Amino acid sequence: MAVIGGAGAIGGALVGSGIVVLANQWLQSNLPALLGMQGDFEIIIFGIAAMAMLQLLPRGIWPALVDLAGMRIPKSWHFAKDAAAPPVREKPQPGETILSVRSVSKKFGAIAANRDISLDAKAGEILALIGPNGAGKSTLFDLISGVQRPSSGTVHFRGQESSYFPRTLSQAGMGRTFQHVRIIPEMTVVENTAIGAHARAHTSFIAAALRLDRRNEAMLIGEALRQLDRVGLQALATQTAGSLALGQQRVLEIARALSSDPCLLLLDEPAAGLRHLEKQALSKLLKQLKAEGMAVVIVEHDMDFVMNLADRIVVMQFGEKLAEGTPCEIQRNPAVIEAYLGGAE
Ligand code: ADP
Ligand code: MG
């Protein structure tokens, strides 16, 4: 029933059980007559039907019907635009240090992915983290955002030592994207974006299960639409996220991070897979976020992009910090030229 109707929606359960019950009855009374012998032949038919469904419509009949009818839009969409905006957090002053990483190391068995890394990020500043593949940049992001715990050293966020719990850090104002995009492909772009905002509305599990939270849902969808507008994805809001190009999925992750109302944004290679004009749009967006007082830490390989965007750059190599400075200082730094810019770019 679940395979034929589609698991995960009430409509799927009704369609699936309806089809199976009715077909079962019809097949049981007609198949023996057609074939001229007794037996549970309907089981064979259902087996074939289930296999055909998994091949042709793996999500079941119901999701396909919903797509056909153009009803993929959440119900709360209709009043989302008029819904109140969710509460915003108190933001740090521009120039305030909101992230301090002190002597952080991370070992994976014998590999030292990060060794004695220290850096600060300030509100209203864009800090770029560059370095060859395997230098430990993504690992550092994981340590900062609580996806991994450092083997030694500390991370302070907004004056407090990190809990190293992603959810708590997100609620405190840290947003991030991933080098390997993490979205829910079968959900729409707007729903994926709204996930980022979910901690800003407080709905109990029971209220949500009974659908008593429509007002909150509308508020979150409204916020998601505003953030999609900001990053330029509003036209794709009702598409499934999995149908987007990789570059657009990266931008979707930024919109999702922005929906949590962050004051620190960690972006892991957001411009990878973007076309020239899309990169320009991203650069403009990041400069605007900076002007609004957000701290942005960005990992990026495109040197033109980084040099025109960042206020400060930290260079990593073999898990260690090789250099730190303004784009001009980094471009002139002999160790950096030797290790990275000269060879790779
Ligand atoms: P970058 O993002 O700079 O390319 P990473 O942080 O992804 O570098 O990786 C740094 C090093 O740590 C690499 O040698 C990588 O193989 C290793 N590494 C990263 N994550 C893990 C893990 N979960 N387990 C084992 N090794 C890891
Ligand atoms: Mg990486």
Side-chain angles (χ1 to χ4, degrees):
M1 289 173 186
V3 167
I4 290 173
I10 293 174
L14 293 177
V15 169
S17 51
I19 289 175
V20 170
V21 168
L22 292 178
N24 194 31
Q25 215 147 49
W26 190 86
L27 291 171
Q28 270 179 353
S29 48
N30 290 299
L31 272 185
L34 278 173
L35 297 170
M37 49 182 150
Q38 289 298 319
D40 297 334
F41 300 112
E42 70 279 0
I43 291 172
I44 300 169
I45 303 280
F46 281 125
I48 294 170
M51 283 202 294
M53 286 299 302
L54 288 172
Q55 285 292 330
L56 301 172
L57 285 177
R59 293 183 304 143
I61 288 176
W62 184 255
L65 285 178
V66 168
D67 279 1
L68 261 184
M71 288 183 347
R72 218 187 291 139
I73 302 165
K75 281 205 192 72
S76 36
W77 171 284
H78 303 293
F79 32 94
K81 290 206 167 94
D82 309 319
V88 290
R89 76 181 79 250
E90 213 177 297
K91 297 289 185 325
Q93 293 298 314
E96 193 180 319
T97 300
I98 60 170
L99 175 74
S100 354
V101 175
R102 286 290 165 270
S103 301
V104 155
S105 300
K106 178 71 188 174
K107 290 206 178 78
F108 295 109
I111 300 172
N114 279 179
R115 262 183 292 181
D116 198 24
I117 305 272
S118 299
L119 57 82
D120 287 331
K122 299 191 186 76
E125 177 194 58
I126 299 179
L127 172 70
L129 201 56
I130 65 171
N133 280 330
K137 307 175 298 292
S138 297
T139 302
L140 185 59
F141 269 21
D142 284 352
L143 299 180
I144 294 171
S145 60
V147 175
Q148 304 264 8
R149 265 170 187 271
S151 310
S152 64
T154 58
V155 176
H156 280 76
F157 178 53
R158 304 197 73 182
Q160 284 189 342
E161 175 154 14
S162 168
S163 58
Y164 305 107
F165 285 116
R167 184 181 167 81
T168 323
L169 288 167
S170 160
Q171 280 169 336
M174 193 187 291
R176 74 165 288 183
T177 66
F178 296 87
Q179 182 176 351
H180 304 288
V181 174
R182 297 195 190 174
I183 51 172
I184 302 177
E186 55 276 6
M187 282 168 81
T188 58
V189 168
V190 68
E191 287 168 314
N192 268 284
T193 311
I195 290 171
H198 88 280
R200 294 170 71 186
H202 302 284
T203 305
S204 73
F205 175 76
I206 298 199
L210 297 174
R211 302 254 166 124
L212 300 172
D213 61 338
R214 288 269 189 240
R215 191 186 294 242
N216 272 343
E217 199 179 321
M219 178 170 86
L220 300 186
I221 294 283
E223 176 69 6
L225 288 171
R226 270 190 295 280
Q227 299 304 340
L228 286 174
D229 212 25
R230 213 171 175 190
V231 302
L233 281 185
Q234 67 279 35
L236 300 173
T238 57
Q239 305 280 314
T240 49
S243 68
L244 265 52
L246 181 63
Q248 291 170 327
Q249 293 182 349
R250 290 190 181 284
V251 177
L252 163 59
E253 279 208 333
I254 299 177
R256 182 180 62 193
L258 289 176
S259 298
S260 69
D261 186 30
C263 48
L264 169 66
L265 193 56
L266 307 167
L267 304 175
D268 201 344
E269 306 198 13
L274 292 193
R275 286 185 289 246
H276 183 64
L277 284 177
E278 293 170 325
K279 277 191 189 181
Q280 280 182 339
L282 175 63
S283 180
K284 197 170 146 215
L285 171 69
L286 297 182
K287 282 178 180 161
Q288 184 200 328
L289 295 174
K290 167 188 152 174
E292 289 168 18
M294 201 177 292
V296 180
V297 185
I298 177 171
V299 170
E300 187 46 58
H301 288 296
D302 180 336
M303 282 306 127
D304 281 342
F305 184 86
V306 167
M307 295 298 166
N308 287 316
L309 182 70
D311 299 296
R312 275 188 312 127
I313 298 180
V314 167
V315 186
M316 287 179 69
Q317 193 191 18
F318 304 130
E320 284 177 311
K321 186 159 109 178
L322 183 69
E324 176 172 358
T326 62
C328 283
E329 289 164 357
I330 292 298
Q331 275 169 314
R332 275 188 266 126
N333 185 315
V336 176
I337 294 170
E338 157 107 52
Y340 183 53
L341 295 174
E345 296 290 315

